[in-house]
Amino acid sequence: MTRPSRHLPAEKRREVTIETVIKLAAEQNPSEITTAAIAKRMGLTQGAIFRHFPSKEAILQSVIEWVAERLLARIDKAASGAPSPLAALEAMFMSHIDFVATHPGIPRMLFGELQRAGETPPKRMVKTLIQRYSERLYRLIEEGKRAGELDVDIDSSAAAIQFIGTIQGLVMQSLIAGDIERMREQAPKVFAIYRRGVGAAP
Amino acid sequence: MTRPSRHLPAEKRREVTIETVIKLAAEQNPSEITTAAIAKRMGLTQGAIFRHFPSKEAILQSVIEWVAERLLARIDKAASGAPSPLAALEAMFMSHIDFVATHPGIPRMLFGELQRAGETPPKRMVKTLIQRYSERLYRLIEEGKRAGELDVDIDSSAAAIQFIGTIQGLVMQSLIAGDIERMREQAPKVFAIYRRGVGAAP
DNA sequence: TGGATAAGTTAGTAACCAGTTACTATCTTT
DNA sequence: AAAGATAGTAACTGGTTACTAACTTATCCA
């Protein structure tokens, strides 16, 4: 067990900073997270942050990188263990829900970045993440069609949008209810509807 | 034709302010809209805003009120003209898509407010709006089940979440593509999947 | 063990923000 | 056309923000 120490090696401090931002994002509006708030949560002064990151934007970039790596690895692992394309979609879905339920700040941060005005580096990273995610979905959906599990008449890219939207809907509902665990309960129910929507007629 | 005048009656100025905020939200991060930016867009000085609104929060509240009135009226009208519950759902969907495509800043503002930390008055208004919207959906879905149009085995509240999520997915995709019109093209395709998901087996 | 160095502190800065105030221009009414 | 009411201006305030620089302390290894 490593108890939180004041002095940490640079790399460790960067990691802790990223995790702190994700925790804070679960509690408050991500766009209102200040460098002072991050430092306070870590038990540091605000200036110390800038020993490890050149700017606030660089922190956000690192956070999104952290998320992209873990999320994609997780869903890839979930999908690879599934016996069929449709089972892979379901495993991805549940794995993704579990991920955002564990880190409720993450979808909020990503969506917040997407709303930014210009083409900031963090925004481009979010775009890339979602595009990679969509590509994986698209491939699985096409495979599912070939395997006879999914209906060949549905639009594959629309089905990918629908998949992501389904997760978004659950996230939004948990924001309204203020209850993250509810998401886990409702996930199977909404996925059942999605499966009916894209699945081949029996 | 009333050309934009510098001196406007108070009520007209409040209306113009609301519309200006909605326009600005389409261009930039809603949480970064300043009172100075609103004033500049109207050709006024920043201080003038506070002749008509006691605070910035009051502006946001008025905007959400504006949205709630129009959106609910629109979908009610769309639903009431439909011959069946399922047709009503489709009409609501298309009408909603048309609304957000015309005012792309609106979904971003609503979602942004939902992300707020505490229980601000604007946030509560957004919650109320979505709850009212969900109730209408729930009722229509139950009606659809009774009419034999929708599958009785699906979870009605999950189907309502899915409906809203479907719209969210389209909004998100338009943010990534930076193209609002694409949403109108893809709307029928994703709704087709939703209909298959909730519809009764043929 | 002592000194180099990495990590953190303190005390700033300029820019920006919402909101206020004393004043002025414009409209309306009689 | 005078007077009161309404709408807008200019300059400001206190507070907050990201970021910086000079100084201090902890850690590690020769």
Side-chain angles (χ1 to χ4, degrees):
Chain A
M1 215 64 223
T2 50
R3 57 184 177 70
S5 159
R6 177 145 295 204
H7 271 255
L8 287 182
E11 201 175 329
K12 186 68 193 165
R13 176 59 71 201
R14 277 193 290 269
E15 268 179 49
V16 173
T17 307
I18 290 166
E19 284 158 20
T20 303
V21 170
I22 291 170
K23 276 180 203 160
L24 283 170
E27 297 165 20
Q28 59 182 276
N29 197 344
S31 64
E32 283 169 15
I33 295 173
T34 64
T35 54
I38 300 167
K40 190 182 178 187
R41 181 61 69 97
M42 288 194 290
L44 293 183
T45 56
Q46 188 231 9
I49 299 268
F50 293 93
R51 291 254 157 245
H52 305 288
F53 294 92
S55 68
K56 191 187 176 185
E57 194 174 67
I59 302 175
L60 293 178
Q61 238 174 298
S62 299
V63 170
I64 293 160
E65 216 170 320
W66 187 97
V67 170
E69 273 173 29
R70 272 158 191 76
L71 180 61
L72 290 176
R74 228 177 204 256
I75 59 162
D76 279 345
K77 194 183 164 193
S80 68
S84 77
L86 186 54
L89 283 172
E90 182 160 7
M92 269 178 74
F93 189 86
M94 296 309 168
S95 167
H96 190 144
I97 291 295
D98 185 62
F99 186 71
V100 300
T102 312
H103 307 288
I106 286 177
R108 297 162 64 170
M109 280 207 62
L110 299 191
F111 204 83
E113 280 308 312
L114 269 186
Q115 303 215 134
R116 281 258 140 68
E119 272 293 326
T120 64
K123 184 178 175 181
R124 202 168 311 136
M125 290 184 74
V126 175
K127 281 187 179 184
T128 306
L129 167 59
I130 297 172
Q131 269 157 2
R132 277 200 217 155
Y133 196 107
S134 298
E135 278 162 27
R136 281 161 164 81
L137 287 173
Y138 189 90
R139 253 181 283 137
L140 269 177
I141 290 161
E142 290 283 318
E143 269 179 50
K145 283 182 181 176
R146 264 181 266 122
E149 270 190 324
L150 301 189
D151 194 287
V152 289
D153 290 333
I154 61 154
D155 186 294
S156 294
S157 73
I161 294 171
Q162 179 78 313
F163 186 98
I164 295 169
T166 302
I167 293 169
Q168 282 269 130
L170 282 169
V171 169
M172 186 180 227
Q173 215 233 359
S174 78
L175 276 178
I176 291 166
D179 178 10
I180 305 124
E181 288 311 309
R182 192 118 167 253
M183 206 162 67
R184 285 202 170 96
E185 294 165 31
Q186 298 221 278
K189 295 176 190 168
V190 292
F191 189 79
I193 295 172
Y194 179 75
R195 185 173 38 220
R196 275 182 50 115
V198 297
Chain B
M1 214 63 219
T2 50
R3 57 184 177 71
S5 159
R6 176 144 297 203
H7 267 75
L8 287 183
E11 201 175 329
K12 185 70 192 162
R13 176 59 73 201
R14 277 194 290 268
E15 268 178 48
V16 173
T17 307
I18 290 166
E19 285 158 19
T20 303
V21 171
I22 291 170
K23 276 182 203 159
L24 283 171
E27 296 165 20
Q28 59 183 276
N29 196 344
S31 64
E32 283 170 14
I33 295 173
T34 63
T35 53
I38 300 167
K40 192 182 177 187
R41 182 62 68 96
M42 288 195 289
L44 292 183
T45 57
Q46 186 237 359
I49 301 268
F50 292 92
R51 294 258 154 242
H52 305 288
F53 295 92
S55 67
K56 192 188 177 185
E57 194 174 69
I59 302 174
L60 294 179
Q61 239 175 296
S62 300
V63 170
I64 293 161
E65 217 170 318
W66 188 97
V67 170
E69 274 172 29
R70 272 159 190 76
L71 180 61
L72 290 177
R74 229 177 202 254
I75 60 160
D76 279 345
K77 193 182 165 194
S80 69
S84 78
L86 185 55
L89 283 172
E90 181 159 9
M92 269 178 75
F93 189 86
M94 297 310 169
S95 168
H96 191 144
I97 292 295
D98 185 63
F99 186 70
V100 300
T102 312
H103 306 290
I106 286 176
R108 297 162 65 171
M109 280 206 62
L110 298 191
F111 205 84
E113 280 309 311
L114 268 186
Q115 305 216 132
R116 280 259 140 69
E119 271 292 328
T120 64
K123 185 179 175 182
R124 203 168 310 138
M125 291 183 73
V126 174
K127 281 188 180 185
T128 305
L129 167 59
I130 297 173
Q131 269 158 1
R132 276 199 216 156
Y133 196 107
S134 297
E135 278 161 27
R136 280 161 164 83
L137 286 173
Y138 189 90
R139 253 182 282 138
L140 268 177
I141 290 161
E142 290 284 318
E143 270 178 50
K145 283 182 180 177
R146 265 179 266 123
E149 270 190 325
L150 301 190
D151 194 286
V152 288
D153 290 331
I154 60 154
D155 186 294
S156 294
S157 74
I161 294 172
Q162 179 79 310
F163 185 97
I164 294 169
T166 303
I167 292 168
Q168 282 267 132
L170 282 169
V171 169
M172 186 179 227
Q173 214 233 359
S174 78
L175 276 178
I176 291 165
D179 177 11
I180 305 124
E181 289 310 310
R182 193 118 166 252
M183 205 162 66
R184 285 202 170 94
E185 293 164 31
Q186 298 220 278
K189 294 176 190 168
V190 292
F191 189 79
I193 295 172
Y194 180 75
R195 185 171 38 217
R196 276 181 49 116
V198 296

